[in-house]
């Protein structure tokens, strides 16, 4: 019996890794084909309706929205969409599919606000779970007394709604993405990075507790102290180990105003030097990002409607046509009563930077307005019919030591203008911030060989290292995001094929020049590329998959593991 069970374990492992097998041999490239008999999906779905007792609804009509996402390139129609009212709806569905065993090809994908880029939230002829439906039936619970204030929310809740509710209590989450109309579960399954990450780490660093439904249908509460392996697995786990259904998000006292600043550089080395100085200094700005502008005209005129310029006469003499320039975007948060002191602080901080002084633009906005700034652009694009177009985005994490080589090979060469969408670029330092104490290194620390203050000890390890997120090995790395929009039916430089070709060339440069980059929001079509992406973490990733989703039921759109179907 033990030998038979071991064989079954090996076969299941081979199945989720996409291998072929026969009764006596398991191999990665053999000619032995697996048996493939399974129930037709319409029969399976019909059975689901009869067997499951759901509080929510399982819909079969008007479900085409579940075959679309923000990337608008992949369209896989599911067989049904579940609109859950409780976590037990989700648990019951997964448990039923799991109990069917490998004789069913049915898969399940959670879908938040549908902002995935490559069909990751889709499940071809499977079941898509509408996570926002879960949020509608669950309230936010604020716990703001004590040393660690937090909000307990549904994973289907949008960050913009959490922000608005939190501000009513005088608090706010610590870490954000640039776009807030995303669900908690969606960003925690990736990482959640923006200009606050150098200070607070990504969003996955600011979670105390999770409720997760595993690939076997088990509902598990987990944290760093309880079921810690599952907790680490699902954070940045690309939906492979379980569906996050609730989360406790860390809060901090909220500011109500923001000084929002933009300045320009014409020299990339100076630009990156200033960015790195800002993220490694105590008492710096609260938000540090940047973007690249190639062969763009009228940049400063476009900013005048939202920003005040310090020296309009000098700014009129600044010309960017034909040039590659770099914008540093920084912000300082404050309370209204501290406005005078914050102006003095900003003046001191700016005096240490080496930007073009004629390009200083400052705006004063509310905290809510600043964090929701991208949504304003979204509404404008929707009015022009330019939002629901293909978005062939490419997000890369580039080590600090390689960023200048990367810039030399890409900016002005592969990319000769930035008319198809913004290019973000900014550094983070995953070693400096202590996410447990919410403090900068000022005691119990050592100086690194580069003179930077580094934490040490049990609670001084910067970004959480046991999550499933993959980053470059160096402590400081840059996020470089090519956020292109493609015009439908265009065969020109704004067409989908042209932009995809550019992305391919950028990735080829990273490969041939050995720049040691990692993709953020990664997408690969073959498992060998996923192995390379995870590197030394691959074996642990596979172990976690087999532990928590042994039949590879969850999130097939990532294309990491394929649910094989067979009679054992």
């Amino acid at each position: 019996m033990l030998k038979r069970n071991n064989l079954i374990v090996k076969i299941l492992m081979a199945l989720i890794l996409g291998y072929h097998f026969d009764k006596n041999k398991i191999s990665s490239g053999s000619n032995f084909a697996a048996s493939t008999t399974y129930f037709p999906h319409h029969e399976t779905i019909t059975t689901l309706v009869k067997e499951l007792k759901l509080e929510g609804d399982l819909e079969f009509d008007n479900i085409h929205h579940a075959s679309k996402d923000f990337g608008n390139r992949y369209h896989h129609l599911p067989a049904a969409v579940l609109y859950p009212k409780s976590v037990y709806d989700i648990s019951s569905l997964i448990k039923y599919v799991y109990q069917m065993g490998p004789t069913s090809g049915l898969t399940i994908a959670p879908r938040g606000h549908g902002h995935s880029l490559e069909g990751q939230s889709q499940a071809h002829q499977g079941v898509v779970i509408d996570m926002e439906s879960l949020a509608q039936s669950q309230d936010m619970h604020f716990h703001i007394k004590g040393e660690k204030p937090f909000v307990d929310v549904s994973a289907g809740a949008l960050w913009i709604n959490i922000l608005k509710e939190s501000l009513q209590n005088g608090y706010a989450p610590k870490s954000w993405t640039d776009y807030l109309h995303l669900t908690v579960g969606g960003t925690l399954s990736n990482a959640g990075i923006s200009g606050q990450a150098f200070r607070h780490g990504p969003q996955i660093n600011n979670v105390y507790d999770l409720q997760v439904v595993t690939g076997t249908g088990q509902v598990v509460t987990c944290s760093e102290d309880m079921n810690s392996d599952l907790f680490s697995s699902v954070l940045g786990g690309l939906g492979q180990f379980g569906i996050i259904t609730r989360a406790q998000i860390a809060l901090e006292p909220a500011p109500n105003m923001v000084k929002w600043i933009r300045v320009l550089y014409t020299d990339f080395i100076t630009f990156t030097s200033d960015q790195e100085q800002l993220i490694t200094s105590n008492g710096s700005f609260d938000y540090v990002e940047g973007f690249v502008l190639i062969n763009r005209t009228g940049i400063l005129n476009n900013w005048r409607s939202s920003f005040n310029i310090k020296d309009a006469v000098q700014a009129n003499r600044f010309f960017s046509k034909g040039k590659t320039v770099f914008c540093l975007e920084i912000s300082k948060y404050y309370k209204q009563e501290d406005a005078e002191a914050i102006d003095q602080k900003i003046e001191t901080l700016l005096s240490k930077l080496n930007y073009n002084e004629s390009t200083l633009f400052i705006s004063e906005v509310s905290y809510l307005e600043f964090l929701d700034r991208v949504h304003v652009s979204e509404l404008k694009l929707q009015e022009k019919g330019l939002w629901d177009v293909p978005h062939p985005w490419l997000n890369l994490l580039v080590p600090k030591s390689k960023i200048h080589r990367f810039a030399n090979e890409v900016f002005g060469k592969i990319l000769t203008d930035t008319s198809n969408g913004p290019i973000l670029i900014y550094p983070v330092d995953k070693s400096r911030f202590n996410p447990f104490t919410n403090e900068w290194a000022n005691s119990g620390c050592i100086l690194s060989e580069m003179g930077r203050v580094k934490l040490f000890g049990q609670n001084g390890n910067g970004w959480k290292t046991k999550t499933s997120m993959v980053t470059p090995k160096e402590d400081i790395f840059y996020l470089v995001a090519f956020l292109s929009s493609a015009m439908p039916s265009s065969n020109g430089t704004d067409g989908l094929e042209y932009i995809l070709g550019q992305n391919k060339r950028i990735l080829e440069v990273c490969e041939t020049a050995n720049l040691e980059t990692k993709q953020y929001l990664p997408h690969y079509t073959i498992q060998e590329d996923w192995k390379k992406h995870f590197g030394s973490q691959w074996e642990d990733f596979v172990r976690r998959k087999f532990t928590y989703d042994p039949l590879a039921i969850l999130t097939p759109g990532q294309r990491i593991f394929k649910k094989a179907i067979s009679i054992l």
Side-chain angles (χ1 to χ4, degrees), residues 4 28 269 279 322 353 362 373 415 461 517 553:
R4 181 177 182 276
S28 177
I269 293 177
I279 70 162
L353 303 179
I362 300 179
R373 64 197 178 280
L415 292 175
N461 56 0
T517 60
I553 292 170

Side-chain angles (χ1 to χ4, degrees), residues 44-45 47-49 51-54 57-58 60 80-84 86-100 104 106-110 123 126-131 213-219 243 553-554 563:
T44 303
I45 295 295
T47 304
L48 280 175
V49 175
E51 297 292 333
L52 295 181
K53 296 180 180 179
L54 301 172
D57 299 306
L58 191 65
F60 307 95
V81 174
L82 173 66
Y83 296 90
S86 71
V87 64
Y88 299 103
D89 284 349
I90 298 173
S91 173
S92 297
L93 171 65
I94 297 176
K95 187 176 296 183
Y96 187 86
V97 175
Y98 173 72
Q99 289 174 347
M100 293 177 69
S104 167
L106 201 63
T107 56
I108 298 170
V127 181
V128 169
I129 301 176
D130 188 303
M131 297 302 293
V213 183
T214 70
T216 64
Q218 185 180 8
V219 180
I243 296 176
I553 292 170
L554 302 177
K563 184 179 182 183

Side-chain angles (χ1 to χ4, degrees), residues 189-260:
S189 294
N190 289 283
I193 300 176
S194 77
Q196 297 91 354
F198 78 94
R199 172 157 294 182
H200 295 294
Q203 289 181 321
I204 58 174
N205 262 45
N206 295 277
V207 183
Y208 293 139
D209 189 283
L210 295 172
Q211 182 188 69
V212 176
V213 183
T214 70
T216 64
Q218 185 180 8
V219 180
V220 182
T221 298
C222 54
S223 66
E224 291 203 356
D225 300 320
M226 178 173 57
N227 299 310
S228 58
D229 185 65
L230 178 61
F231 182 74
S232 298
S233 298
V234 297
L235 293 174
L238 307 177
Q240 293 304 294
F241 313 110
I243 296 176
I244 300 171
T245 51
R246 286 199 72 82
Q248 291 182 0
I249 308 298
L251 299 175
E252 65 178 356
N256 50 30
M257 297 299 296
V258 175
K259 291 285 187 178
W260 183 8

